[in-house]
Amino acid sequence: MRIILRNASWVCTCDEARPWITRGHVSVKDGVIEAVQDSPIELPADDTIDLDGCLLTPGLVNTHHHFFQTLTRAIPRAHRAASEDWLVNLYPLWSMMTPQDIAAATRNTVAELLLSGTTTSADHAFNLGARGDERIRAQVEAAQSLGIRLHLARACLPTVGGRVETRLSAIMGNRLQAMIDSDTHLLEQCRADVEAFHDPRPESMLRLALGPSNVTYTRPALMREFADLAEELGCGLHAHLHPRAAERALSLRETGLAPVEFLEHSGWMRPGTWFAHCTELDENDIARFADSGVGVAHCPRTILRLGYRMTPLHQMRRAGVRVAFGVDGGASNDAGAFLSDVRLGMLLHRAGSPDDMDTERDWLSPMDTMRMATREAALLLGRPELGAITPGLRADLAAFDLRGLDCAGALDDPLGGFFFAGSNPRAQLTMVEGRIVVRDGRLLTGDERGIAAATNEHSRKLLERARAAYPGLA
Ligand SMILES: [Zn+2]
């Protein structure tokens, strides 16, 4: 099966040998990029797509999400809730979710990702509890039916802890305990899921990673057990980490070590590990991240939504830490079109720059931004076969139509225009493993309106159940 993408006005390859082609042509054969050139490809093809007016790029790679939260977007009680109140308002809703709810949320989330040119996505699935296997299966089936490449962090909730747990216990009682993975069989469940779903091959459409929702200082042995299991099974490790003042104090109290020292001690500081947020890493932490090859999923919109401190992006990049972008969950982003987050990410880190900053060196350029959203993210997830338009790599591609009003007057530098001026997050074409999943801006693997309607129905019923169970949430 050969598909030829002809006549793309611009191709941003993210291949260092030839990062940019004007008037480019790409052929794809059996899921692999076959040829990339600036002259027409004269080969027989099963399908040919003309991309005049379009920017062709590697498919975008999202490094952090929580698909299940898409049923709980823009919840009024969380509109102005910062971190702790946000959790207290949302956990009761999440506790009522069924595997069918998770499948519906996954379909909606994946459709949004594919429609914004995202071909690979991580998901940090920590809302599993006692029905973990059933939920994982529902999520995997829903994602695969739409055709995205998935990196599923088979996560868990070993503890909630602190004031959040005290407040949630008062509201939720036994339902909170049902969400917490205190089960002694947790590691066996993780092993069984990895053995059932993890595919290590280069063409893999599904890989698993392991880890808790947050770094778990109160059950420190568990962190070592996750690291050992991930190493044995050849999977990555993923968790949230800021570490904020309270987290630093907790780590010292429970383990006698600073958070990143504790992670080193537990076998987590190694390639294949990536953490979400890292908004409060200090200079010493950043150096350890760089030395150990640990990656960071930077979620710019969550910083704004939940009022986090700004990720020290300049310091991380200067030190050589691998940083990529993430959407984060539907309840802390609310929007789901990854391209919008990437555009925001190019600008957000500039806020509050010191007067003497060398902006030419430290502010992300459009090319830096594209690389972070594609090649760097693929490498962070341990996928060197993804993230660039290079012959021999897997055929994950996206094309964006730059002929709209938003980019008009901004095409002297088309990549700059795409990021600075572009406001349309919809891809013209999305291809995953050589399969066209979005064409002419329309999803081919699912009915967009039907998916949205089903999501609304699941969300409405979930909120109804939650309001009946927790009258105080009405
Ligand atoms: Zn998150």
Side-chain angles (χ1 to χ4, degrees), residues 95-380:
S95 74
M96 307 298 288
M97 290 185 82
T98 64
Q100 293 73 29
D101 289 333
I102 287 175
T106 298
R107 274 191 289 277
N108 202 102
T109 313
V110 168
E112 282 188 278
L113 289 169
L114 292 171
L115 281 163
S116 65
T118 311
T119 50
T120 297
S121 180
D123 187 59
H124 190 202
F126 65 83
N127 185 14
L128 298 173
R131 297 172 75 183
D133 292 350
E134 209 181 329
R135 288 169 183 228
I136 288 281
R137 189 166 299 281
Q139 178 164 4
V140 164
E141 285 172 5
Q144 289 189 326
S145 73
L146 294 177
I148 201 163
R149 211 184 282 280
L150 181 62
H151 273 241
L152 183 60
R154 195 280 181 222
C156 57
L157 195 63
T159 56
V160 175
R163 277 161 39 99
V164 175
E165 182 157 351
T166 309
R167 291 176 64 190
L168 283 174
S169 288
I171 299 167
M172 296 172 66
N174 288 341
R175 285 199 188 88
L176 181 62
Q177 293 316 310
M179 287 184 85
I180 293 175
D181 293 281
S182 52
D183 184 32
T184 48
H185 300 300
L186 175 60
L187 271 290
E188 284 145 59
Q189 286 173 5
C190 290
R191 177 189 289 278
D193 287 333
V194 172
E195 286 171 352
F197 295 116
H198 180 70
D199 176 359
R201 298 174 302 159
E203 63 268 40
S204 171
M205 293 292 287
L206 176 59
R207 288 198 187 167
L208 262 61
L210 298 175
S213 171
N214 292 295
V215 175
T216 302
Y217 305 98
T218 51
R219 292 174 68 187
L222 193 60
M223 293 299 286
R224 165 58 72 179
E225 287 168 4
F226 278 128
D228 290 348
L229 186 62
E231 184 160 33
E232 180 195 332
L233 300 174
C235 336
L237 289 164
H238 185 46
H240 292 110
L241 174 74
H242 283 256
R244 289 175 282 189
E247 188 174 351
R248 288 184 187 276
L250 177 68
S251 178
L252 272 178
R253 195 166 65 239
E254 297 289 334
T255 71
L257 299 168
V260 174
E261 284 174 347
F262 168 64
L263 288 164
E264 249 166 11
H265 176 76
S266 304
W268 274 62
M269 297 300 288
R270 65 186 194 217
T273 299
W274 80 107
F275 292 102
H277 305 316
C278 298
T279 55
E280 302 199 18
L281 293 189
D282 64 22
E283 218 171 289
N284 188 31
D285 298 334
I286 289 171
R288 288 172 186 228
F289 268 57
D291 289 346
S292 56
V294 168
V296 172
H298 165 48
C299 306
R301 192 163 155 120
T302 294
I303 289 176
L304 296 175
R305 175 68 159 86
L306 296 182
Y308 290 158
R309 274 179 31 192
M310 196 75 75
T311 304
L313 194 66
H314 310 128
Q315 295 91 322
M316 287 179 185
R317 284 170 50 81
R318 239 184 277 157
V321 178
R322 180 153 278 142
V323 191
F325 295 113
V327 173
D328 207 2
S332 67
N333 184 320
D334 304 292
F338 181 45
L339 174 55
S340 301
D341 298 291
V342 175
R343 285 177 167 143
L344 175 65
M346 186 180 75
L347 300 176
L348 180 66
H349 70 105
R350 301 177 180 200
S353 294
D355 290 342
D356 60 353
M357 170 164 278
D358 180 346
T359 61
E360 282 297 319
R361 182 191 63 186
D362 287 332
W363 284 6
L364 291 175
S365 70
M367 188 61 90
D368 294 335
T369 306
M370 182 57 83
R371 283 187 58 83
M372 269 179 72
T374 57
R375 186 65 177 158
E376 290 295 317
L379 295 173
L380 181 151

